[in-house]
């Protein structure tokens, strides 16, 4: 009897491993070549007794990981020093941008953030540049990374519904960006250093987009742009004034829950709705002044 190769037990094991990886958020291949983790790793051997060989093999210039065969850096971990330098370069570059197109071009050419290496796309913005309301989320997820636009996955669909409930639409009167333009691998939390490198770009982004109202979506966005230590539970629904590094008129700013959080905690949708109503009331007032 010919067995369907799809039914082979090894396939079932491989499918189970892949599904376990997916559940853990590992959904991107980082190395060019797959690593077979089902094979035993080579056991570290005790150091060999050194004898003087007639023709010693030349030492490998770059030692390699025994499994991935990728070169292993012998440098000690460089802490955050390069990222601190990158943050200072980012500040200068971002301030030099005179409009959104220039900023996008500068960001696409910026190599100072390691997240760019693992990301597929630089996710700059979506919606209507110059719209009266700008929404800033945290970072692209897998869908956004693939499509190169913010909030296009499941969270994005809920965000669109939230906007529609108060008369906003990214195609007409809403502009959307993120704190980070590159997806952290596996959707992990961005490190403070990664946020610090990308911050000057999103600050300049807001300055150049010049919305009447700024809406910070989720804790990372709220804490980063408001420079506050409280979590989103305390920050949401309250008005702050955001002023960019170049000065300029303060922008009324409100935070609310991230749609990804609302999908996990639907009971909090009532509070998010209160925030949206607060936002809409201020917007109506601003437009009538
Ligand atoms: N979550 C975010 O914060 N931003 C996106 O673009 C997508 C999901």
């Amino acid at each position: 009897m010919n067995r369907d190769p799809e039914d082979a037990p090894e396939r079932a094991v491989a499918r189970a491993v892949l599904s376990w990886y997916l559940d853990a958020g590992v959904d991107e291949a980082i190395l060019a070549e797959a690593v077979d983790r089902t094979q035993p790793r080579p056991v570290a051997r005790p150091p060999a007794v050194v004898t003087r060989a007639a023709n010693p093999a030349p030492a490998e210039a770059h030692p390699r990981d025994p499994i991935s065969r990728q070169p292993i850096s012998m440098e000690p971990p460089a802490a955050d020093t390069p990222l601190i330098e990158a943050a200072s370069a980012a500040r200068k570059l971002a301030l030099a941008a005179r409009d959104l197109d220039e900023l996008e071009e500068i960001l696409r050419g910026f190599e100072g953030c390691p997240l760019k290496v693992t990301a597929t796309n630089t996710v700059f913005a979506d919606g209507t540049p110059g719209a009266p309301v700008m929404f800033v989320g945290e970072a692209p997820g897998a869908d956004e990374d693939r499509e190169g636009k913010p909030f296009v996955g499941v969270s994005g669909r809920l965000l669109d519904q939230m906007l529609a409930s108060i008369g906003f639409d990214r195609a007409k009167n809403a502009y959307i960006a993120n704190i980070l333009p590159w997806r952290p691998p596996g959707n992990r939390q961005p490190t403070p250093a990664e946020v610090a490198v990308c911050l000057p770009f999103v600050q300049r982004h807001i300055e150049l987009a010049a919305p009447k109202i700024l809406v910070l979506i989720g804790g990372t966005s709220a804490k980063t742009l408001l420079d506050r230590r409280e979590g989103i539970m305390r920050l949401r629904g309250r008005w702050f004034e955001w002023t960019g590094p170049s000065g300029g008129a303060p922008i009324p700013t409100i935070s609310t829950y991230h749609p990804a959080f609302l999908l996990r905690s639907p009971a909090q949708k009532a509070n998010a709705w209160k925030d949206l109503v607060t936002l809409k009331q201020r917007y109506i007032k601003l437009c009538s002044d």
Side-chain angles (χ1 to χ4, degrees), residues 123 137-141 144 149-152 155 178 217 258:
V123 177
E138 178 179 322
E144 291 76 18
K149 285 186 185 171
F151 284 103
V152 292
S155 302
N178 279 313
I217 306 174
H258 195 289

Side-chain angles (χ1 to χ4, degrees), residues 126-188:
D126 193 27
T128 311
V133 183
M134 178 169 179
F135 296 81
V136 180
E138 178 179 322
D143 295 309
E144 291 76 18
D145 184 42
R146 211 173 295 116
E147 292 194 30
K149 285 186 185 171
F151 284 103
V152 292
V154 191
S155 302
R157 281 197 285 286
L158 179 54
L159 179 64
D160 284 340
Q161 288 168 5
M162 291 162 72
L163 301 196
S165 72
I166 49 164
F168 290 105
D169 176 344
R170 57 174 103 189
K172 293 189 191 126
N173 53 5
Y175 186 59
I176 305 177
N178 279 313
I179 297 279
L180 298 178
W182 297 290
R183 180 194 184 206
N187 295 348
R188 67 161 167 73

Side-chain angles (χ1 to χ4, degrees), residues 18-286:
L18 281 175
S19 130
W20 182 78
Y21 274 144
L22 272 175
D23 289 345
V26 184
D27 54 4
E28 296 286 318
I30 304 294
L31 300 176
E33 284 183 20
V35 177
D36 186 351
R37 305 275 179 206
T38 62
Q39 296 304 309
R41 278 170 171 265
V43 181
R45 295 181 196 290
V49 177
V50 180
T51 51
R52 198 175 289 273
N55 292 309
E60 218 182 338
H62 296 287
R64 290 173 183 271
D65 180 288
I67 292 181
S68 69
R69 302 304 301 153
Q70 296 294 304
I72 299 171
S73 168
M74 298 305 281
E75 299 297 320
D80 283 340
T81 314
L83 289 180
I84 291 166
E85 282 163 15
S88 139
R91 271 193 292 279
K92 289 193 194 116
L93 286 167
L95 279 178
R98 286 164 302 176
D99 57 34
L100 291 173
D101 288 343
E102 271 190 16
L103 183 67
E104 180 170 0
E105 200 182 320
I106 289 170
L107 190 59
R108 288 185 186 281
F110 182 69
E111 302 295 341
C113 180
L115 293 177
K116 189 178 185 187
V117 178
T118 47
T120 306
N121 274 303
T122 298
V123 177
F124 184 67
D126 193 27
T128 311
V133 183
M134 178 169 179
F135 296 81
V136 180
E138 178 179 322
D143 295 309
E144 291 76 18
D145 184 42
R146 211 173 295 116
E147 292 194 30
K149 285 186 185 171
F151 284 103
V152 292
V154 191
S155 302
R157 281 197 285 286
L158 179 54
L159 179 64
D160 284 340
Q161 288 168 5
M162 291 162 72
L163 301 196
S165 72
I166 49 164
F168 290 105
D169 176 344
R170 57 174 103 189
K172 293 189 191 126
N173 53 5
Y175 186 59
I176 305 177
N178 279 313
I179 297 279
L180 298 178
W182 297 290
R183 180 194 184 206
N187 295 348
R188 67 161 167 73
Q189 189 76 13
T191 66
E194 288 159 353
V195 171
V197 173
C198 297
L199 183 60
F201 293 111
V202 70
Q203 287 173 327
R204 188 70 182 144
H205 202 154
I206 300 166
E207 285 180 343
L208 293 169
K212 282 182 195 291
I213 293 181
L214 181 60
V215 185
L216 308 179
I217 306 174
T220 301
S221 177
K223 288 201 283 192
T224 304
L225 285 169
L226 298 175
D227 196 17
R228 306 279 296 214
R229 300 179 74 114
E230 303 103 300
I232 187 67
M233 299 233 172
R234 289 189 183 276
L235 294 174
R236 58 151 279 271
R238 291 163 57 192
W239 286 105
F240 292 86
E241 295 204 320
W242 183 87
T243 309
S246 319
I251 301 174
T253 301
I254 192 167
S255 324
T256 192
Y257 287 131
H258 195 289
F261 170 72
L262 294 175
L263 288 167
R264 292 192 304 271
S265 315
Q268 292 296 336
K269 284 186 180 174
N271 280 326
W273 172 243
K274 283 188 200 156
D275 303 340
L276 294 175
V277 171
T278 308
L279 156 64
K280 182 69 184 213
Q281 285 168 341
R282 181 85 179 245
Y283 175 75
I284 293 170
K285 187 162 183 321
L286 274 178

